[in-house]
Amino acid sequence: MKTNAVRILDKLEISYQLLHYEVDPDDLAAESVAQKIGLPPEQVFKTLVTRGDRTGVCLAVVPGNAQLDLKALALLTENRKVETVPLKDVQPLTGYIRGGVTALACKKDYPVYVDETIELFEQIAVSAGVRGTMILIAPDDYLRSVKGTVGAIAK
């Protein structure tokens, strides 16, 4: 099954690999997904939807074993304050459900901020836009495809 995220990578002629896993709707944690696909959690990146008081919605991409540092993201995005959006707002804003959010092929072209640890790996895993499928991709290709800005945003 090709997702919109995969179609974008194909269009950009970016190479990737799809990894499939069994979905447990009661446990959508990035750490669990990492275990299921056989990667360390710091190599599996999760996408969080946030809203800045000045710039509006943006996406934060952090390692699966880390938390988003809202103050660091605010500083990087030139906001006074950034908050994660309520879960009920995630799908209307992105088109994706919890556990399947990706910065690729969102409803709108939101700014994407990625934790600097992405540069430690030859490949990272990110959601393909549906629960149960991850994209294994080179960090540089991922950053290019989402027009990502790198910064220290995880803690």
Side-chain angles (χ1 to χ4, degrees):
M1 175 183 77
K2 286 216 175 187
T3 64
N4 288 338
V6 169
R7 286 186 193 94
I8 283 179
L9 295 176
D10 288 345
K11 186 176 174 186
L12 294 171
E13 297 180 357
I14 290 175
S15 77
Y16 60 89
Q17 182 182 344
L18 294 179
L19 304 173
H20 302 283
Y21 64 94
E22 190 77 28
V23 178
D24 176 356
D26 296 324
D27 184 8
L28 299 172
E31 291 96 332
S32 300
V33 172
Q35 186 177 7
K36 290 174 184 177
I37 62 173
L39 290 175
E42 60 270 15
Q43 198 172 349
V44 176
F45 282 69
K46 58 188 174 186
T47 304
L48 305 170
V49 185
T50 66
R51 183 177 281 121
D53 63 337
R54 293 180 179 166
T55 60
V57 175
C58 67
L59 303 175
V61 183
V62 297
N65 64 341
Q67 287 186 314
L68 174 60
D69 184 337
L70 292 169
K71 287 183 179 173
L73 182 61
L75 199 62
L76 186 62
T77 59
E78 299 180 358
N79 282 286
R80 286 185 303 266
K81 181 169 113 175
V82 174
E83 296 176 333
T84 53
V85 302
L87 190 55
K88 67 178 178 54
D89 295 340
V90 170
Q91 188 172 8
L93 288 170
T94 65
Y96 296 115
I97 59 171
R98 179 173 171 254
V101 178
T102 182
L104 292 160
C106 268
K107 274 187 173 180
K108 291 187 179 167
D109 210 6
Y110 297 118
V112 178
Y113 298 90
V114 184
D115 187 64
E116 64 188 358
T117 58
I118 192 173
E119 296 169 342
L120 300 175
F121 302 101
E122 287 185 28
Q123 292 193 307
I124 58 152
V126 295
S127 175
V130 293
R131 293 175 180 172
T133 306
M134 299 293 283
I135 295 171
L136 193 63
I137 187 171
D140 287 346
D141 288 337
Y142 176 73
L143 291 168
R144 183 168 50 100
S145 65
V146 299
K147 301 176 190 80
T149 300
V150 175
I153 60 168
K155 58 180 177 180

